[in-house]
Amino acid sequence: MGTPFFDSLAERIAAVDSVVSVGLDPDPDRLPESVAEADLPRWAFNRRIIDATHEHAACYKPNAAFYEDADGWRALRETIAYAHGRGVPVLLDAKRADIGNTARRYATALDDPSDGGLGADAITVNPYLGRDALEPFLQRTDAGVFVLCRTSNSGGADLQDLELESGEPLYERVAALADVWNRNDNVGLVVGATAPEELEEIREAVPDLPFLVPGVGAQGGDAEAAVAFGLAQRERAVGGDGTGDGTDEVRVGLVNSSRGIIFAGEGARDPDRYFDAAGAAARDLKARLNRFR
């Protein structure tokens, strides 16, 4: 059994002084010419992005939608392994959930590659099918499970804002359920940055769950609110011998930007300048968020 995900994430956040999650969404139609002729263009692109941004990244978040073909899965495995080689955890944005054997198969993305998995450290899941559909993820004590709660897209209100008989919106019930499901201290929530008032409400309801906050960057989310309400206090063991002879506290959570970082260099003719722009965008977002930490 490995180190629990949120403990590893706390260490990473402290080490790089950053809560930036870099979304690795290598849209084939937007990849630069410098990687287009590679054997695995998405892997070649991600490798350069990781090289440029790893000093500022608390986590990488590849979205499974950009890898769902034979070459894509190869690229994703290489990407996760390379990120780990740089000491950065990986959160697979897959939004999975299903029943029975299907859910158990989805959860194998968290298995080690030697056991046929992808080696992801955490995953996003959809709560719509209820707890039994999420159980194969929740029982992975060393893996993080981020439950979709209040998303950034405009259509999210179609269901998430529905008022229950209790008077609470559905997204608040999801947050409360996630808190109950957190028996292994491995559950977080996905809460978008485009509705800061809702971010604050959810944080008040579940003070101890870390959030993954998308929508900062190309979607124009509120960076101050993302930091103020997206991070949860967590104790961290510290000690000169590495075993931890005391504790301190670190605020744990992730604020994600995908297109705003990885495609920051679009328009640059020189490959180095293209990827340098991604590094600068990650550095700038880190500095912007740290003003509010």
Side-chain angles (χ1 to χ4, degrees):
M1 184 182 299
T3 302
F5 173 74
F6 287 117
D7 289 347
S8 298
L9 182 60
E11 290 295 329
R12 179 65 188 175
I13 289 170
V16 295
D17 190 27
S18 177
V19 293
V20 172
S21 165
V22 178
L24 297 177
D25 303 350
D27 185 342
D29 294 332
R30 297 182 69 176
L31 299 185
E33 291 183 5
S34 60
V35 301
E37 299 304 318
D39 178 46
L40 293 173
R42 284 165 287 185
W43 153 232
F45 177 79
N46 286 348
R47 181 178 59 196
R48 294 294 304 269
I49 292 291
I50 291 170
D51 286 342
T53 63
H54 69 92
E55 294 179 359
H56 312 296
C59 188
Y60 288 109
K61 185 181 74 66
N63 190 311
F66 293 92
Y67 302 92
E68 292 189 335
D69 57 76
D71 284 347
W73 290 122
R74 289 173 57 208
L76 182 56
R77 286 190 178 91
E78 295 289 351
T79 295
I80 293 172
Y82 195 70
H84 286 164
R86 289 290 198 174
V88 189
V90 176
L91 162 59
L92 181 62
D93 192 358
K95 301 178 179 69
R96 301 299 197 210
D98 215 311
I99 58 174
N101 289 335
T102 308
R104 287 192 288 274
R105 287 303 305 165
Y106 278 145
T108 61
L110 300 166
D111 288 344
D112 188 87
S114 63
D115 295 323
L118 294 171
D121 304 290
I123 194 167
T124 60
V125 297
N126 190 326
Y128 192 72
L129 276 72
R131 178 171 179 163
D132 64 318
L134 301 187
E135 191 59 33
F137 305 96
L138 298 171
Q139 68 185 10
R140 303 291 185 105
T141 57
D142 57 342
V145 183
F146 285 88
V147 178
L148 291 176
C149 179
R150 185 63 177 96
T151 58
S152 297
N153 62 305
S154 58
D158 293 348
L159 293 176
Q160 295 162 21
D161 285 0
L162 291 177
E163 186 174 304
L164 306 180
E165 288 186 1
S166 62
E168 64 185 330
L170 180 58
Y171 67 81
E172 286 190 3
R173 177 64 62 85
V174 169
L177 286 171
D179 204 27
V180 172
W181 296 339
N182 190 31
R183 66 186 186 278
N184 287 321
D185 194 26
N186 62 343
V187 175
L189 293 176
V190 181
V191 186
T194 54
E197 299 84 4
E198 293 172 2
L199 252 174
E200 183 176 10
E201 290 171 5
I202 297 167
R203 171 52 67 209
E204 290 176 354
V206 287
D208 299 326
L209 297 187
F211 294 174
L212 165 65
V213 185
V216 173
Q219 292 171 271
D222 188 319
E224 182 174 4
V227 172
F229 307 122
L231 310 184
Q233 288 288 111
R234 188 176 184 88
E235 282 195 348
R236 180 175 71 103
V238 294
D241 61 357
T243 61
D245 56 8
T247 61
D248 65 5
E249 288 194 341
V250 60
R251 296 181 70 203
V252 175
L254 294 167
V255 181
N256 186 76
S257 177
S258 299
R259 290 166 291 166
I261 292 177
I262 66 174
F263 296 129
E266 279 188 328
R269 293 175 179 248
D270 179 83
D272 289 336
R273 291 195 176 188
Y274 184 105
F275 293 103
D276 286 346
R283 180 198 63 216
D284 292 349
L285 179 58
K286 170 183 170 178
R288 179 181 167 202
L289 296 175
N290 281 354
R291 288 201 295 269
F292 307 117
R293 286 177 62 199

